[in-house]
Amino acid sequence: MIVREPRVVSPYRALLAAVPVREDVVRVAGSETHVWTYDPPGGEEARVTVVAVHGFRGDHHGLEPVVAHLTGVRVVMPDLPGFGESTPLDGEHSVAAYAAWLRELVAALGLGPDVVVLGHSFGSIVASAAVAGGLRASRLVLVNPIAAPALSGPRGVLTQLAVAYYKAGAALPEAAGQSVLRNAAVVRITSLAMVKTHDRELRRWIHDQHDSYFSRFADRRVVLDAFRASVSSDVSTYAADVGVPTLLVAADRDDITALPAQHVLQGLFPDARLVVVEGVGHLIHYEKPREAAASIEEFLA
């Protein structure tokens, strides 16, 4: 695994510094899963616990800006198996396998049926599949949900290019494939394609976050499995079987899932509320974490 430490100071550092956090390791589904627990600052008692699942190729750092803006909420956030600090699962890293892992993790942590499940991007698919498959939760929150097949999104051509890129990474010899999949230029191109803010310092920090954390996957098999899972499924597959109130936090400029698809997705859930954050794309958690946190708190209240 390549580890590059961040070089740009987070604009949310003061808020994050006030949040008590601890790291634990739980063995689930063959994975040594690293889990971070964020408690409310100032010794405040948490009124609810949220289990948060990050997106493809990221790790728990990505959702920390949203955590920093929440009040009275305990957030339990693992690195997905095979990414960040967590070791891979036994077997394939499919949506079904990740959903089963999440159900087992919640049980292993002793979290009761009042837990709230949150997922961002690819994590929205995993979270939805887990709840639809029997994870007992009180509510579901999806940030930048993948509402429709990625290949049909506003930038379907870019997704096709991504498919070709990952196929090349799979076809090459091991060392060359690893090099292609961890290529810094490709990471930066991906980051540039997603960022929408015109704030230069915020853009610089976002790019540094991607440079630091997007290549922290265990091996080629894991990232190829997870990519196939991310483009072969979406939240709409599981929506009808989610029997808890659901919040969709969508963006009006998301290039992966167009806003009309989010309205369609809302109608597929038995009970769903849609909040649209304006002026942002697929990086709500980086560019508009305050707005995301406010929507989540209102939903939980």
Side-chain angles (χ1 to χ4, degrees):
M1 181 189 301
I2 293 178
V3 176
R4 173 197 180 277
E5 294 302 322
R7 299 170 184 172
V8 181
V9 176
S10 169
Y12 312 111
R13 63 190 182 279
L15 288 171
L16 281 169
V19 179
V21 58
R22 72 175 187 274
E23 180 183 356
D24 299 293
V25 181
V26 184
R27 185 166 182 81
V28 183
S31 167
E32 296 288 342
T33 300
H34 287 245
V35 181
W36 286 261
T37 300
Y38 303 80
D39 285 311
E44 181 184 357
E45 184 176 353
R47 66 180 186 274
V48 66
T49 296
V50 174
V51 174
V53 184
H54 63 78
F56 174 64
R57 282 192 70 154
D59 66 9
H60 70 283
H61 291 96
L63 288 170
E64 283 189 331
V66 178
V67 173
H69 286 88
L70 292 170
T71 57
V73 178
R74 175 178 296 108
V75 179
V76 178
M77 190 149 54
D79 280 349
L80 280 170
F83 295 89
E85 300 296 325
S86 295
T87 62
L89 297 168
D90 289 334
E92 186 182 9
H93 293 70
S94 62
V95 171
Y98 274 130
W101 160 82
L102 182 57
R103 290 192 295 269
E104 290 184 35
L105 178 66
V106 169
L109 293 172
L111 302 175
D114 291 335
V115 71
V116 175
V117 179
L118 181 151
H120 171 258
S121 189
F122 177 58
S124 71
I125 304 174
V126 174
S128 299
V131 173
L135 193 162
R136 296 183 66 196
S138 62
R139 292 171 187 260
L140 176 64
V141 177
L142 306 178
V143 180
N144 285 124
I146 307 300
L151 295 175
S152 67
R155 291 197 179 183
V157 173
L158 287 182
T159 304
Q160 293 282 9
L161 290 174
V163 170
Y165 164 70
Y166 282 98
K167 283 184 177 179
L172 290 168
E174 179 68 26
Q178 287 273 16
S179 178
V180 165
L181 293 171
R182 300 185 194 274
N183 186 275
V186 174
V187 171
R188 179 53 61 91
I189 290 169
T190 302
S191 188
L192 286 166
M194 292 189 291
V195 71
K196 301 298 180 186
T197 180
H198 296 293
D199 185 316
R200 293 181 64 183
E201 287 304 308
L202 183 56
R203 289 175 68 93
R204 183 167 170 261
W205 173 73
I206 291 169
H207 294 325
D208 184 65
Q209 289 286 290
H210 288 146
D211 291 346
S212 299
Y213 301 121
F214 250 42
S215 292
R216 293 191 181 184
F217 51 85
D219 54 43
R220 180 168 66 167
R221 177 182 67 90
V222 167
V223 75
L224 292 172
D225 277 358
F227 176 73
R228 282 191 289 266
S230 72
V231 298
S232 63
S233 185
D234 61 84
V235 176
S236 68
T237 304
Y238 309 100
D241 295 320
V242 173
V244 298
T246 300
L247 172 67
L248 310 177
V249 184
D252 65 341
R253 299 178 64 191
D254 195 331
D255 292 320
I256 294 179
T257 299
L259 190 54
Q262 302 289 5
H263 287 281
V264 173
L265 178 64
Q266 180 188 10
L268 299 178
F269 284 94
D271 180 4
R273 178 188 308 178
L274 173 63
V275 173
V276 179
V277 182
E278 297 184 351
V280 66
H282 203 65
L283 303 180
I284 288 176
H285 58 309
Y286 281 150
E287 297 185 34
K288 297 289 182 79
R290 183 186 303 276
E291 291 82 349
S295 298
I296 293 167
E297 287 187 350
E298 181 181 357
F299 178 63
L300 298 182

